[in-house]
């Protein structure tokens, strides 16, 4: 879906994917396997036949892998906490003013404009009046649509699955789509499209690298300019998103299976009322 212009639909497509990755593994269906056992004839099934002996030798690999995983998670957790603390410092020390359904924070620090939830932080000395108008119009879309929720949800998934390379690609896809969304869903930008593209080219590399914010300048400038000028996709192409459903069904029946073993009811009346205990 990355080449299509359904940025709003893509946002929910990606969020749904994150939630599915959390809750789908907790869902399973039960497959019952019946064991043929006649306990009423002379050949009774003995409990010791079901006993599984485990090797007492403890491998060091699980402990080593768990230690590496814990270190990685701790590092990312500390980094996330420091970034939130840094953004809090910008908000606390900046000059506050009321905007359109958001709060503007004018900072004296040499930073690039960005938004975090309902706050838009920028240094007015670094931009002209017209540039600020375009920048704030972009950031207001981020703030109004609560794009910070998507990013923090992605950061939470990253804490759990930092070892998974696909998670890092997923994070990039989410932030990229949010920029496309903010670029194209604002009337001020549409009326000043040419000037807005020049503004993007003016500075293509940001001055900080916080992962939890929506920065105005980033390394996706070329793709953003392409998407601004992209012809809107045909609505029928939105149905491509449903191609994921057969794959989800395949993964579900392949991995989310809980096997339950039961004995068939070939039990004679001689053992009726008695307790039969199988040690597994």
């Amino acid at each position: 879906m990355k080449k299509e212009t359904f940025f709003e639909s893509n946002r929910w497509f990606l969020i749904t994917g994150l939630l599915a990755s959390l809750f789908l593994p907790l869902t399973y269906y039960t497959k019952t396997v019946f064991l043929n056992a006649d306990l009423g004839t002379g050949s009774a099934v003995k409990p010791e036949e079901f006993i599984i002996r485990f090797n007492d030798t403890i491998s060091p690999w699980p402990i080593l892998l768990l230690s590496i995983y814990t270190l990685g998670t701790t590092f990312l957790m500390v980094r996330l906490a420091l970034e939130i603390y840094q953004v809090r410092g910008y908000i606390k020390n900046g000059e506050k003013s009321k905007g359109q359904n958001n709060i503007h924070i004018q900072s004296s620090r040499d930073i690039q404009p960005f938004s975090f939830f309902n706050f838009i932080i920028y240094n007015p000395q670094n931009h002209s009046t017209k540039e600020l108008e375009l920048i704030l119009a972009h950031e207001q879309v981020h703030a109004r649509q609560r794009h910070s929720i998507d990013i923090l949800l992605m950061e939470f998934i990253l804490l759990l699955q930092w070892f998974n390379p696909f998670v890092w690609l997923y994070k990039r896809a989410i932030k990229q789509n949010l920029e496309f969304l903010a670029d194209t869903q604002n009337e001020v930008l549409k009326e000043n499209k040419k000037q807005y593209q020049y503004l993007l080219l003016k500075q293509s590399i940001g001055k900080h690298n916080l992962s939890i914010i929506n920065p105005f300048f980033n390394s996706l400038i070329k793709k953003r300019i392409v998407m601004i000028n992209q012809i809107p996709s045909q609505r029928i192409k939105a149905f491509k998103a449903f191609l994921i459903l057969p794959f989800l069904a395949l993964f579900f029946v392949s991995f989310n299976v809980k096997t339950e073993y039961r004995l068939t009811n070939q039990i004679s009346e001689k053992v009726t009322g008695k307790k039969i205990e199988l040690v597994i």
Side-chain angles (χ1 to χ4, degrees):
M1 302 296 294
K2 66 179 181 179
K3 294 183 179 180
E4 308 301 338
T5 60
F6 309 120
F7 306 126
E8 184 69 29
S9 300
N10 287 351
R11 180 192 182 190
W12 297 111
F13 178 82
L14 292 169
I15 292 179
T16 303
L18 286 181
L19 297 178
S21 72
L22 285 177
F23 297 108
L24 191 59
L26 304 178
T27 308
Y28 61 88
Y29 79 95
T30 303
K31 177 183 178 182
T32 303
V33 177
F34 291 96
L35 301 177
N36 194 6
D38 189 351
L39 301 180
T41 64
S43 58
V45 177
K46 300 178 181 180
E48 55 266 23
E49 296 179 10
F50 290 90
I51 295 178
I52 301 176
R53 306 275 180 195
F54 293 94
N55 193 342
D56 294 334
T57 304
I58 300 178
S59 174
W61 287 108
I63 298 177
L64 178 60
L65 293 177
L66 180 60
S67 300
I68 296 175
Y69 173 78
T70 304
L71 286 175
T73 301
T74 303
F75 171 78
L76 291 177
M77 191 177 300
V78 171
R79 188 188 72 170
L80 179 61
L82 291 176
E83 290 184 358
I84 294 177
Y85 181 79
Q86 186 175 350
V87 173
R88 179 178 175 274
Y90 291 144
I91 297 174
K92 181 179 179 180
N93 300 323
E95 181 181 342
K96 301 177 179 61
S97 60
K98 185 69 175 178
Q100 294 182 358
N101 301 319
N102 49 59
I103 300 175
H104 291 190
I105 306 295
Q106 297 185 16
S107 176
S108 58
R109 302 183 184 181
D110 189 19
I111 59 173
Q112 62 162 302
F114 68 90
S115 61
F116 185 70
F117 284 97
N118 205 35
F119 299 96
I120 299 177
I121 298 94
Y122 59 95
N123 186 339
Q125 303 300 324
N126 293 343
H127 310 281
S128 65
T129 303
K130 187 60 178 179
E131 288 177 347
L132 271 180
E133 180 184 358
L134 296 174
I135 291 173
L136 294 178
H138 174 92
E139 297 302 331
Q140 284 169 2
V141 178
H142 283 310
R144 184 174 65 251
Q145 298 185 359
R146 300 293 190 269
H147 291 173
S148 295
I149 296 177
D150 304 39
I151 294 177
L152 286 181
L153 177 61
M154 186 67 244
E155 289 293 328
F156 174 73
I157 300 294
L158 195 63
L159 288 176
L160 300 177
Q161 295 196 33
W162 58 266
F163 55 89
N164 185 352
F166 291 101
V167 172
W168 297 92
L169 296 175
Y170 207 97
K171 176 183 177 180
R172 179 180 176 86
I174 282 184
K175 298 195 75 170
Q176 177 177 284
N177 186 71
L178 292 179
E179 293 305 317
F180 296 158
L181 191 57
D183 285 339
T184 57
Q185 289 199 358
N186 194 287
E187 295 301 325
V188 176
L189 306 184
K190 293 178 182 179
E191 296 173 0
N192 301 271
K193 183 182 292 188
K194 184 176 181 180
Q195 187 173 358
Y196 182 72
Q197 294 176 68
Y198 280 127
L199 178 60
L200 290 177
L201 290 173
K202 185 177 178 180
Q203 183 175 348
S204 60
I205 301 177
K207 297 179 181 178
H208 54 66
N209 191 27
L210 300 181
S211 61
I212 61 171
I213 64 174
N214 297 299
F216 182 78
F217 298 115
N218 52 59
S219 59
L220 301 172
I221 299 299
K222 180 180 178 180
K223 291 183 179 180
R224 289 171 65 180
I225 292 177
V226 170
M227 285 299 179
I228 289 173
N229 296 281
Q230 184 87 334
I231 298 176
S233 301
Q234 298 177 357
R235 298 303 305 175
I236 194 172
K237 291 185 177 181
F239 287 97
K240 291 197 300 182
F242 293 101
L243 293 176
I244 194 64
L245 295 180
F247 290 98
L248 287 178
L250 177 62
F251 295 151
F252 184 80
V253 299
S254 300
F255 303 106
N256 296 39
V257 182
K258 181 180 180 181
T259 304
E260 183 179 275
Y261 295 94
R262 292 185 180 182
L263 296 176
T264 56
N265 55 354
Q266 299 178 13
I267 304 175
S268 70
E269 296 179 357
K270 295 180 182 181
V271 296
T272 301
K274 294 184 178 181
K275 179 179 179 182
I276 300 176
E277 186 176 287
L278 300 181
V279 181
I280 300 180

